[in-house]
Structures are given as C-alpha cells and as structure tokens.
Amino acid sequence: MDAEAVDLLVIGGGMAGLSAAARVATEGGSVILVEKAERTGGSARFAGFVWTTPTIEEMRQVNPDGDPELATALVGGFADGVAWIRSLGVECRPPVPVLGFGRGHQVDTNHYLDTCERLIRDRGQEVLTATGTRSLVTENGLVKGADCLLPDGSSRRIEATWTLLATGGFQGDPGLRAEHVHRGAADIGLRANPHSRGDGLGLGRSAGAAFGKKDAGFYGHLMPAGVSLADPARFVDLALYYSEHALLFDTTGERFVDETVGDHLTAMALLERPEARGLLVADARVHREWISASYVEGIPGVDKFQLCHRAGARSAVAVSLEDFASMPEEWGYPGVTIRDRIEEFNSTVGTDGATTPGRLLDHRPLDEPPYYVVEAAPAITFTFGGLLIDPGAHVLSAGSGGRGPVPGLLAAGADAGGLYRRAYAGGLAPARVFGLAAARTALTETPTAVGR
C-alpha cells in the first residue's frame, strides 16, 4: 500500500467533512477527503437553512438533556460559522425566526458545498469520491489514518496526524435504526441520502470510542404514510410541518402528544405508537394559515394537502365532523372516536379546561370545516446517537468512561453524539461548527499515543 501523511484525513464529504477539509486547506494544512458516494455533499444538499437557538438559555430550554458543553460550543460558534460561509462568497440571507425558538439564515447550500470542494482541490489537496474506508490504522491506541478502497478495487493507506469521522450517521441502515433508535425504526421512511449507514460509528467503536445513549432519538418529520421518498425533491415538499397546528390521532383514535411542540418531536412520538402511523387532522383555518402558507420566512408556500393527495397518500376532506363516523374500515381507525375527541378538544381548548395531552402553544379549536385529513408516518433524516465528542471534536474513549479522548480521532456531523437528546435545534449549524472545530484541532494540536 502507498504510505503518505497529511494533517487531516476526512472520512465523509458532507457538511461537516467539507467544512473541516476546506478550512484546513485554506489555512495551509494538508488534507485528504474520502467520500464513498459518487458525489460529495451528502444529505446537506437537501437542506437550505443554517440555524440554532440565539442564546444558551433558550438551548437549555428546548434541549435540557443534551450535553451542556456541546450546546454552549454550538451557540457560541454559530456566528463564526456564518462568517465562514460569507467569507467564501456564498449567499447567506439575513436572519429569520425558525421553529418559534430558533434564529437562522437561508443559505445556498449546494453553492457552499461545491465551493468547499473546489477550494480543497485548488489548494492542491485531494478529494476522493467513490472511495470506501476499510479500517482505521492504529498504533498503541493512536489513530494514524485509514486503509481505503479506491474505485478500481485497489487499496490505499492514508496516514494522517488526525482522522475525522463525518460519514453522516447511521440512519441509512435499518438494523442499526432498530438497535439504537427504536425496534420499529427499521421500517420507517428515509428522508436523507442512502449512504449514511453507520460507517463512522463502526470505525469509531473499533478504535474504542464511546457511544451516546440509545434513547437519544432522531431528527425527522411526519410524512404522508405509504408515499415513496425515493425522490429527494419530496423531502421538503411533503413534510407535514403544519402538524404543530393540527391534531394527530393514533390507530386507537387517541391523541398521544402535544403536537404544538414541534413536528420533529411528534415524529419521534409517533414511532412509538401502534403501527407507527396516525391521522393528522386540520380544519379550514389551519389549511389557510399553515398548510398552504409559507412555513419559514423566505420559502414560498405550497398546498401540502394537495401535494400529498396527488402523491397517492391516504387523504380526505370531511365536510363536517359527522363525516368521521363514515371513515373507511380499511383505514384501520375508529372514526367515531376521533370525531368525539375533536369535539372534546374544541370544547376545552382555549378555556379553563385542560386538554389531554396538553397544548403548549396553539390554543385555538379546530372548529372551522371542512377538515383536511392525511395519514402520517415518521421519516428519519439523521440520528442523534453517535460517538461522544468534546467541544474540540475529539472523540471520547469508552474505556475512560467518556472522559478522555481516543488519540488522533475526531468526529463531527451526525457521526457525533451527545449534543441532542430527544430535542433538536438545527442540523447544518452543528455540522459546520464542529467541522470547523475539528479543523482547528487538526491545525493546532498533536495527538499523543496511549501510555506516553
């Protein structure tokens, strides 16, 4: 095998990996990026907003069980991440509210990713696509690079002072989803690229890395049940963000979650219900104000109900609540029960009466017919349970109880865990912030072998 040494080997060419490699190349360091897909970018190519909470206090509110050091690093590093985007000449629009508690910028993500790759190549560094990673190279517990498999079938050993795992998580592997997310997660839809199948997780654990809690959850959205997600253009168009203003019923006809706290949290809750499917019910007001309106400032509104209907989703328009009693038997929902629960909700919400489950935000009744009904199911975008890291993106060792690093090993993006636990405050932002942190570590630190 050919032997060579670089400051940083990046395994995975998504948002985190490209950000890290481009920063190292810009600062005059040596870097090689390997990506197993034919093209770099990963799931970041399907996203368009970089955002998180504007303050650490708000982060603690929405993400109380996440690692506080990582949360502080994310909020503190957000502005520098935005400045880095703009320094590359990539459009980054003025800040707007996101999800009610966040603040962020619409970004030309594809331009950013392509600019990073071009910058790496222009500085004389390598980007290897269609290149897999067989194993990490270790010596006395020190990670010193990796053995890679090139497109022609030949092997190449890439020696590096630091190695960054940024393969995008394990959401593309049904078995790992069932093991680490929920037993029913093997069968849910994937609203992400199919290449993130736990490569970084496996490589890191082979080097003794600590893994985050199994119940950390995932980021995803409610999508119309039974509709193919093979076309990435549907990831955003069909996402049922408006569920925050609707009611969701499981197959027993009962509500089971406060829908207003966020569609991304409702998706996690629905995964744990019978058959992981439910009926999302909205009225004419919600259709007017949310289903067919803009969800985030700067993004044109589309009628998601019509999109779901045309895509073949199980959907219907009920002229009145009485129509629920005539729900088709093959749908598998007790229509009469759902009708009764909507009536009960309308009679208590917005008054001194308490709804069950509670209603934190939208307290208005659903009493303006007609009613728009779509069967929904959870779909996963990326996993929260990854390799534990510190704010410098050092991977922490399982042998040290998650307190000491695995020498020479870094992680960022969805390969890194600990930041979120059953909560979410942005995906592109932490990928970029911790990708840039990994670059800073690679440029300023020297790892030490275990026992030295």
Side-chain angles (χ1 to χ4, degrees):
M1 296 182 184
D2 296 328
E4 55 192 90
V6 292
D7 296 319
L8 180 65
L9 167 62
V10 178
I11 302 174
M15 177 61 67
L18 282 168
S19 296
R23 175 60 72 88
V24 168
T26 299
E27 298 294 327
S30 55
V31 61
I32 295 177
L33 183 147
V34 298
E35 165 59 50
K36 74 176 183 180
E38 298 286 340
R39 184 189 185 194
T40 62
S43 294
R45 292 197 180 275
F46 311 136
F49 265 86
V50 54
W51 72 279
T52 191
T53 61
T55 67
I56 188 61
E57 289 74 23
E58 286 167 294
M59 176 65 79
R60 291 188 182 118
Q61 263 194 328
V62 299
N63 181 38
D65 297 324
D67 185 308
E69 290 188 348
L70 297 182
T72 299
L74 170 58
V75 175
F78 181 78
D80 288 341
V82 171
W84 163 251
I85 297 170
R86 290 174 170 157
S87 74
L88 300 183
V90 175
E91 182 181 18
C92 185
R93 294 186 179 179
V96 296
V98 181
L99 289 186
F101 59 83
R103 193 83 171 160
H105 307 261
Q106 188 177 4
V107 174
D108 187 340
T109 308
N110 282 282
H111 184 200
Y112 174 80
L113 298 168
D114 293 338
T115 298
C116 285
E117 180 175 347
R118 184 173 64 253
L119 189 156
I120 296 164
R121 295 183 187 276
D122 287 348
R123 297 300 175 98
Q125 308 306 306
E126 289 187 87
V127 176
L128 307 175
T129 56
T131 299
T133 303
R134 284 178 161 171
S135 61
L136 296 177
V137 175
T138 60
E139 182 179 314
N140 296 323
L142 173 66
V143 176
K144 302 183 67 175
D147 290 328
C148 299
L149 183 65
L150 301 178
D152 63 4
S154 63
S155 296
R156 178 176 175 182
R157 172 163 290 187
I158 302 175
E159 294 188 354
T161 304
W162 292 95
T163 299
L164 170 63
L165 302 176
T167 67
F170 58 84
Q171 60 276 355
D173 186 292
L176 289 176
R177 294 199 306 261
E179 180 181 358
H180 297 298
V181 177
H182 185 272
R183 62 182 180 277
D187 300 320
I188 63 176
L190 179 66
R191 58 184 309 275
N193 86 84
H195 300 291
S196 295
R197 301 179 189 137
D199 294 357
L201 175 64
L203 291 168
R205 296 184 87 173
S206 74
F211 177 71
K213 296 179 180 178
K214 285 188 176 183
D215 64 347
F218 65 94
Y219 170 66
H221 282 292
L222 295 180
M223 305 293 284
V227 173
S228 170
L229 299 180
D231 180 2
R234 290 182 161 185
F235 292 169
V236 173
D237 286 348
L238 294 179
L240 302 174
Y241 305 124
Y242 70 86
S243 71
E244 298 169 10
H245 304 276
L247 297 177
L248 183 64
F249 300 90
D250 66 13
T251 54
T252 71
E254 301 294 340
R255 286 181 63 226
F256 54 92
V257 67
D258 177 356
E259 301 91 345
T260 69
V261 296
D263 178 80
H264 55 293
L265 301 179
T266 302
M268 277 191 279
L270 183 56
L271 174 60
E272 299 171 356
R273 305 305 293 178
E275 302 180 50
R277 63 188 179 100
L279 281 190
L280 190 62
V281 180
D283 69 351
R285 174 187 60 81
V286 173
H287 181 271
R288 183 173 59 252
E289 297 179 2
W290 297 102
I291 297 178
S292 56
S294 175
Y295 180 71
V296 177
E297 183 179 333
I299 302 295
V302 294
D303 189 331
K304 288 186 176 290
F305 178 82
Q306 289 299 328
L307 288 178
C308 292
H309 182 70
R310 289 198 294 268
R314 182 174 280 169
S315 56
V317 177
V319 175
S320 70
L321 285 178
E322 288 306 313
D323 285 353
F324 282 86
S326 303
M327 189 177 298
E329 185 177 343
E330 62 269 20
W331 284 26
Y333 296 88
V336 172
T337 301
I338 293 175
R339 178 202 63 192
D340 293 345
R341 295 298 177 264
I342 297 173
E343 290 178 340
E344 291 171 8
F345 173 85
N346 288 342
S347 68
T348 57
V349 71
T351 69
D352 291 337
T355 62
T356 304
R359 197 80 167 168
L360 181 64
L361 298 175
D362 190 336
H363 301 286
R364 290 183 288 180
L366 298 186
D367 58 1
E368 184 181 333
Y371 293 88
Y372 296 83
V373 183
V374 175
E375 185 173 46
I380 189 169
T381 303
F382 65 86
T383 48
F384 293 154
L387 305 173
L388 296 183
I389 64 168
D390 67 10
H394 305 89
V395 171
L396 301 179
S397 169
S400 67
R403 291 184 293 274
V406 177
L409 191 61
L410 307 167
D415 279 357
L419 173 62
Y420 298 135
R421 181 180 178 275
R422 301 189 73 83
Y424 173 71
L428 294 186
R432 185 178 290 108
V433 166
F434 292 107
L436 295 177
R440 186 165 53 251
T441 295
L443 289 166
T444 61
E445 299 181 21
T446 302
T448 303
V450 175
R452 291 189 180 180

